[in-house]
Amino acid sequence: MGLNVIMMGAPGACKGTQADRFARERGLPKISTGDMLREGIKEQNPVALEAKKLMDRGELVDDATIIAIVRDRLARPDTRPGFVLDGFPRTVGQAAALDTLMDERGQGPLVVIDVVVPEQELVRRLGSRRICGHCGTNAEAGKASCGKCGGALVTRADDDGQVVLERLKIYERATRPVLDYYRARPTFRTVNGAQAAEQVARDVDRMIDDAAASKRMAGERRVSARVAE
Ligand code: ADP
């Protein structure tokens, strides 16, 4: 059974940082649709270049494009032991498509972590976020250059004031319903993302392990129910 995790949270919740760290520590691939689109733009991929127009306005790329990207990525063998999704699903349509993909994989339920941060704090964080202009990594607080490659830091085009508010609005409209789609599942967990990063990290780890354990139990219950039939 794979450890298949979705990291949810509003723009600025630092879910990307947590997803990176968790995936690295557990040796799982981190799959970020935003990163894949930005790589596609660098490589002048026509689909990604079309998507860029929407991304620069803070709007969502259409479900069919995103689902196709994720389907191809999840088909690669490095995802067999599990994966960490960041930035996907962002609509109920994407979540439903992912459920279909997961049924085909036969790896049991997804672990869904929602990193919760109050809106005021999100706006503050996004306004001051810098990324590396070279490799795209989020900059660490107080650093003058990228900790990974030494590249110069820049503001991401879609972290610009007006665009930030637009992204938060779209998050509320399109992505909040995804949380409701998952909330009732026994493998759904929330983490307080307003805490210090180290505490968020500890809570994320604990919640994922806890949800994965309940997923195993659910799997075993299903097996014993079948045996009893
Ligand atoms: P954030 O920093 O808000 O998490 P991302 O890097 O995940 O942003 O995504 C940047 C942009 O890429 C989004 O604003 C959107 O235009 C596009 N995008 C990324 N993932 C998706 C998705 N799952 N569905 C639709 N659009 C997406």
Side-chain angles (χ1 to χ4, degrees):
M1 244 212 251
L3 180 54
N4 303 329
V5 180
I6 306 178
M7 204 67 84
M8 299 282 299
C14 275
K15 65 179 184 325
T17 307
Q18 293 298 335
D20 270 340
R21 180 197 58 78
F22 182 82
R24 199 174 48 243
E25 285 174 13
R26 303 293 172 103
L28 300 174
K30 187 196 87 153
I31 301 179
S32 154
T33 42
D35 287 351
M36 286 195 285
L37 288 167
R38 281 185 288 273
E39 272 161 36
I41 293 167
K42 261 201 208 146
E43 292 160 6
Q44 305 272 302
N45 170 305
V47 175
L49 288 177
E50 193 53 41
K52 183 175 188 304
K53 296 178 197 161
L54 295 163
M55 293 169 72
D56 285 346
R57 289 203 298 265
E59 289 171 33
L60 294 184
V61 178
D62 67 282
D63 280 359
T65 300
I66 295 287
I67 291 164
I69 293 176
V70 171
R71 186 191 303 116
D72 287 352
R73 182 64 188 87
L74 290 181
R76 295 201 347 222
D78 65 331
T79 64
R80 280 325 283 179
F83 53 79
V84 182
L85 278 171
D86 167 24
F88 177 93
R90 261 195 173 68
T91 65
V92 170
Q94 293 176 13
L98 179 62
D99 274 343
T100 307
L101 288 177
M102 295 308 295
D103 285 346
E104 289 163 12
R105 282 172 93 89
Q107 288 190 330
L110 293 155
V111 169
V112 184
I113 302 295
D114 182 27
V115 181
V116 184
V117 174
E119 186 171 292
Q120 274 177 326
E121 173 68 9
L122 294 173
V123 174
R124 196 189 65 75
R125 287 186 186 180
L126 288 168
S128 59
R129 173 157 78 172
R130 298 288 178 275
I131 62 159
C132 173
H134 181 65
C135 72
T137 304
N138 277 343
E140 291 159 53
K143 292 274 167 64
S145 61
C146 175
K148 201 159 142 195
C149 76
L153 302 180
V154 297
T155 300
R156 230 172 71 177
D158 58 359
D159 279 347
D160 193 51
Q162 210 42 45
V163 182
V164 163
L165 295 180
E166 184 60 22
R167 278 160 69 210
L168 288 173
K169 226 163 63 197
I170 291 174
Y171 174 81
E172 284 302 323
R173 195 170 63 224
T175 310
R176 174 90 41 209
V178 178
L179 294 175
D180 297 330
Y181 180 90
Y182 286 131
R183 202 176 297 280
R185 298 190 182 184
T187 50
F188 177 89
R189 297 286 184 284
T190 59
V191 167
N192 173 5
Q195 310 173 93
E198 306 76 59
Q199 187 57 45
V200 179
R202 275 193 292 273
D203 287 1
V204 164
D205 289 1
R206 193 162 49 85
M207 288 303 176
I208 292 177
D209 289 334
D210 180 63
S214 74
K215 163 180 149 173
R216 272 194 301 278
M217 276 182 325
E220 279 156 20
R221 264 201 305 276
R222 263 202 309 279
V223 170
S224 53
R226 262 201 302 268
V227 169
E229 272 169 15

